[in-house]
Amino acid sequence: MFPHRRQRKAEREERRARAQAKFQERACQAFGSPLSTIPGAIGKSERWWCQQYQWLKETGYLLRPRYAPGWVPSWKGTKKWWAQCEDSQVPAMGHVLDATRMSDGVFVTLKLITKSRHPYEIEIGRLFSTEPLASDPSNYSVPIYDVLDVPDDHDQSILVMPLLRPFHRPRFDTCGEVIDFFSQLFFGLRFIHQQHVAHRDCMGLNIMMDATPLYIDPYHPQDLDMRRDFNGTARYFTRTRRPLKYFFIDFGISRRYAADNSAPLEYPIWGGDKTVPEFQKSDDACNPFPTDIYYLGNMIRENFLLGLIKNALFVVQTKRGLEFMLPLVKDMVQDDPVKRPTMDEVVARFDEILKELSSWKLRSRVIYKEDSNIESLYHGVVHWTRRISYIVRRVSAIPGS
């Protein structure tokens, strides 16, 4: 790793530690808990999980040591910096936490949901997780392994799902890898629509990947760059060498319609993407299926075709070399939802685009615009070394093809 990149990483860790310490101080002022003044202490949103530790263990799911009864911070009484210890890592969202399935050691995600707020999430999740849909190769909806009813609370349940990570980390190496990503999303959303389900929030944060095949070392679910035991940086392969699967997640505001209702009308529900054109103009009921098309097209436009995108949760650097997607994406994000293509049309047009791309183009490097000249040179040399190796070994330019 370049020295200046190590320095930037250290600065990010320090800023994150300061922000977390400030959060703990504010939590102490708000809730009057002396524990919250201790850096790395259990936060208010985490205490609920601590209370469920034994029940979840009896159910077959083990939380990390941080949440165990009688937890003593590993840095206590040592000279270790608390922010660099595994058991100081806190979840980004209080209602989502990682765990280990005790029967086979598989890492999973636990999501606490309130059924009165999201009455269809379990139903739709189970729809895509039950045969014959579960094994359909076009199904890219996150599987639900289990649904746990919270004791003494009939309005809350926990969904057990695979441990996933954001689709953009680690970075894409080749155009073929991006093509594989787009292909899975297009087939996946078409499949969702074919089941008469509108996702209604299929923006970037709700598209994730199962990176298990990618990683040599299990990564930490809260600090994605680190190994799970925090003993160094997690190592990984490229997507070309180890193909993976992407998933649509979070069906909390999704709806399923009757098979003969091809153009349902729903009043706007604002998801994570606040730029939907039809929602800006009025609060009238509209067809949610073209809105899904916009969400997906805008995700591609912002994350792969425009300038640097930043928001409160993550940073995605846009790239060069993918301009061939512009005509299709432009149609997907038209202001008039009636003019947007259906997912059948999107898939058909994408197939035509793919036919025009040479193997040379598919193996070409995705260039990240924020890279310095030195970083770009380094990535270029590494890329060409891999590229020659893949050609010699006849590794497909599109992962999994």
Side-chain angles (χ1 to χ4, degrees), residues 1-10 12 225 233 378:
M1 184 181 290
F2 293 106
H4 64 280
R5 294 182 68 181
R6 287 197 296 267
Q7 180 179 354
R8 287 207 301 263
K9 180 176 174 59
R12 287 198 301 270
D225 294 327
T233 303
Y378 167 78

Side-chain angles (χ1 to χ4, degrees), residues 23-206:
F23 169 79
Q24 300 286 6
E25 181 180 354
R26 289 179 177 175
C28 176
Q29 296 171 354
F31 304 109
S33 171
L35 285 177
S36 296
T37 62
I38 302 172
I42 298 294
K44 179 176 181 292
S45 63
E46 294 179 282
R47 293 174 196 167
W48 185 90
W49 292 103
C50 293
Q51 295 166 3
Q52 312 306 320
Y53 181 92
Q54 192 59 39
W55 165 65
L56 285 169
K57 184 177 181 180
E58 293 170 358
T59 309
Y61 300 97
L62 185 65
L63 301 183
R64 284 182 286 117
R66 175 179 178 83
Y67 303 99
W71 168 67
V72 177
S74 63
W75 61 90
K76 187 176 181 179
T78 73
K79 295 183 179 181
K80 296 179 182 178
W81 185 32
W82 64 273
Q84 292 184 337
C85 296
E86 187 283 325
D87 57 341
S88 73
Q89 304 305 306
V90 303
M93 296 178 287
H95 68 291
V96 178
L97 192 64
D98 60 281
T100 301
R101 189 166 61 191
M102 298 170 65
S103 62
D104 55 9
V106 168
F107 302 131
V108 296
T109 296
L110 306 179
K111 178 183 179 183
L112 177 66
I113 66 167
T114 302
K115 290 182 283 188
S116 58
R117 290 186 59 195
H118 303 294
Y120 306 107
E121 186 163 9
I122 294 176
E123 174 189 342
I124 292 176
R126 280 177 165 162
L127 169 70
F128 291 112
S129 302
T130 305
E131 297 298 347
L133 300 188
S135 58
D136 192 302
S138 294
N139 185 358
Y140 293 93
S141 302
V142 62
I144 306 298
Y145 293 154
D146 203 354
V147 178
L148 310 177
D149 294 324
V150 176
D152 303 320
D153 192 335
H154 299 299
D155 196 32
Q156 289 192 317
S157 291
I158 294 176
L159 303 183
V160 183
M161 300 172 287
L163 179 65
L164 305 177
R165 59 186 286 143
F167 68 82
H168 63 283
R169 296 180 61 184
R171 62 163 61 192
F172 291 89
D173 181 39
T174 67
C175 286
E177 293 179 354
V178 178
I179 285 293
D180 178 51
F181 173 61
F182 292 163
S183 178
Q184 292 191 37
L185 296 187
F186 292 157
F187 278 99
L189 187 56
R190 182 177 70 168
F191 184 78
I192 291 173
H193 286 187
Q194 287 173 339
Q195 313 315 313
H196 317 293
V197 173
H199 188 287
R200 307 183 76 191
D201 198 17
C202 49
M203 34 70 79
L205 291 177
N206 287 334

Side-chain angles (χ1 to χ4, degrees), residues 230-376:
F230 248 58
N231 186 25
T233 303
R235 299 167 298 167
Y236 55 87
F237 295 103
T238 65
R239 290 166 167 85
T240 302
R241 183 170 177 182
R242 294 286 182 87
L244 49 81
K245 189 170 183 178
Y246 302 92
F247 292 101
F248 290 99
I249 69 165
D250 195 354
F251 289 86
I253 60 175
S254 303
R255 294 291 185 273
R256 190 184 190 197
Y257 305 98
D260 59 354
N261 188 2
S262 60
L265 295 178
E266 292 278 5
Y267 289 104
I269 294 183
W270 291 90
D273 186 341
K274 309 300 183 184
T275 65
V276 179
E278 53 266 38
F279 291 179
Q280 314 293 330
K281 299 175 181 178
S282 76
D283 292 327
D284 294 341
C286 55
N287 186 343
F289 289 104
T291 305
D292 276 359
I293 307 295
Y294 175 86
Y295 280 136
L296 188 53
N298 195 46
M299 183 282 297
I300 296 173
R301 175 173 64 175
E302 291 190 340
N303 293 313
F304 293 89
L305 300 175
L306 294 181
L308 187 67
I309 305 298
K310 294 183 179 181
N311 62 36
L313 293 179
F314 74 127
V315 177
V316 178
Q317 293 80 23
T318 53
K319 306 134 189 86
R320 291 200 301 267
L322 303 167
E323 293 78 12
F324 53 84
M325 289 296 297
L326 275 170
L328 175 56
V329 170
K330 183 178 179 180
D331 285 347
M332 293 175 70
V333 298
Q334 291 187 84
D335 284 353
D336 186 350
V338 176
K339 295 181 180 179
R340 295 171 199 156
T342 65
M343 281 312 302
D344 283 332
E345 293 168 338
V346 169
V347 169
R349 289 182 58 179
F350 182 70
D351 285 343
E352 293 303 315
I353 292 173
L354 187 55
K355 291 176 183 177
E356 299 299 320
L357 300 179
S358 66
S359 175
W360 187 262
K361 176 62 177 177
L362 292 172
R363 293 189 187 277
S364 65
R365 182 168 70 94
V366 175
I367 300 174
Y368 284 67
K369 292 183 179 180
E370 86 285 0
D371 282 352
S372 67
N373 290 336
I374 295 178
E375 288 174 320
S376 184

